[in-house]
Amino acid sequence: MLLYNPTSKRCRLYKSFVNTGGTEDSGWQYYAAECSQVRLENAVSLSVVNQTVDVACRSGFTYLLSPPLPCPLGTGVLDIGKCAQTLWTDQVFPFVTDLPAPLSTGAEIRVRGSGDGMGNTDIRLPGTGTGNTVFLLSIRWSRLDAIFNTQSSGSWGSELGPSGFIFSPNVVFDALVRITTTKFLIFINGSDFYEAPIRIPVQTATKLQVRCSRLDSVGVMYP
């Protein structure tokens, strides 16, 4: 059934069985709607029972719950979330994408690629508005260093980074950036590389940019 609450102007799905009879829930108006007729873009399968959503997204996509939204009763449309792309492979240089959802504690960014020894190889999270960068890991081949930095209203903060340089031109590396409550934990090829402080709330990051001469894959994992 499709349920509509005129007070909150929200819709939701509910399925009851003959042997149990279901339950009465005050404030909701009931309309006939088959859960099997609800579709989710990029989903392989979808089932909804008593408001519990079971979604299988196609490869490279992750199910992300959307906030409740009003639905038009005439068409029976219900926004229960989305299968958003969170994995990209064999991308061209430079790579830019909107984040499918806000970042939070426990989220991870994974990059597999290499630099050719010229220019910079960067992983960057631009923030809301111009001149804001929530996170930047820049491998600077001309200086043989790798630094972390942030930018607020066009002004860069102090550069931080390890003293050693472990990268080689045209050698593929796996970078993992894990977000905690206070730090970015950076791993290279599975080993600890650097712990960088969170200076700007990660929720304000809007895009993911990666600059590599060769970019095998980019992934965003949500907790």
Side-chain angles (χ1 to χ4, degrees), residues 206-221:
T206 58
K207 295 180 181 293
L208 171 60
Q209 300 177 351
V210 181
R211 183 181 294 269
C212 286
S213 58
R214 169 183 171 179
L215 185 56
D216 293 347
S217 63
V218 179
V220 182
M221 306 294 292

Side-chain angles (χ1 to χ4, degrees), residues 15 50 146-147:
K15 187 174 183 179
N50 294 354
I147 60 96

Side-chain angles (χ1 to χ4, degrees), residues 175-186:
L176 165 63
V177 181
R178 180 175 298 142
I179 299 172
T180 71
T181 55
T182 59
K183 297 178 180 179
F184 296 101
L185 304 182
I186 305 172

Side-chain angles (χ1 to χ4, degrees), residues 62-208:
T62 301
Y63 177 67
L64 301 173
L65 184 64
S66 295
L69 296 173
C71 69
L73 293 178
T75 58
V77 175
L78 184 68
D79 188 347
I80 60 172
K82 60 182 178 179
C83 282
Q85 186 168 8
T86 53
L87 176 66
W88 300 262
T89 57
D90 300 323
Q91 296 299 303
V92 297
F93 160 87
F95 171 81
V96 181
T97 185
D98 292 330
L99 288 171
L103 296 174
S104 61
T105 299
E108 295 182 350
I109 297 170
R110 298 175 180 265
V111 174
R112 179 178 175 82
S114 64
D116 58 7
M118 302 177 63
N120 295 343
T121 298
D122 298 336
I123 302 174
R124 181 176 180 177
L125 293 170
T128 305
T130 58
N132 293 310
T133 300
V134 176
F135 173 91
L136 171 67
L137 173 64
S138 183
I139 302 169
R140 302 188 295 196
W141 299 100
S142 61
R143 302 186 185 185
L144 294 182
D145 65 8
I147 60 96
F148 160 82
N149 209 344
T150 57
Q151 183 187 34
S152 179
S153 300
S155 298
W156 287 98
S158 58
E159 294 182 352
L160 303 173
S163 57
F165 189 75
I166 63 173
F167 302 94
S168 299
N170 301 311
V171 175
V172 174
F173 62 86
D174 288 293
L176 165 63
V177 181
R178 180 175 298 142
I179 299 172
T180 71
T181 55
T182 59
K183 297 178 180 179
F184 296 101
L185 304 182
I186 305 172
F187 302 86
I188 303 296
N189 297 329
S191 299
D192 293 344
F193 182 68
Y194 195 71
E195 295 184 5
I198 293 178
R199 297 170 173 170
I200 302 173
V202 297
Q203 294 83 358
T204 63
T206 58
K207 295 180 181 293
L208 171 60

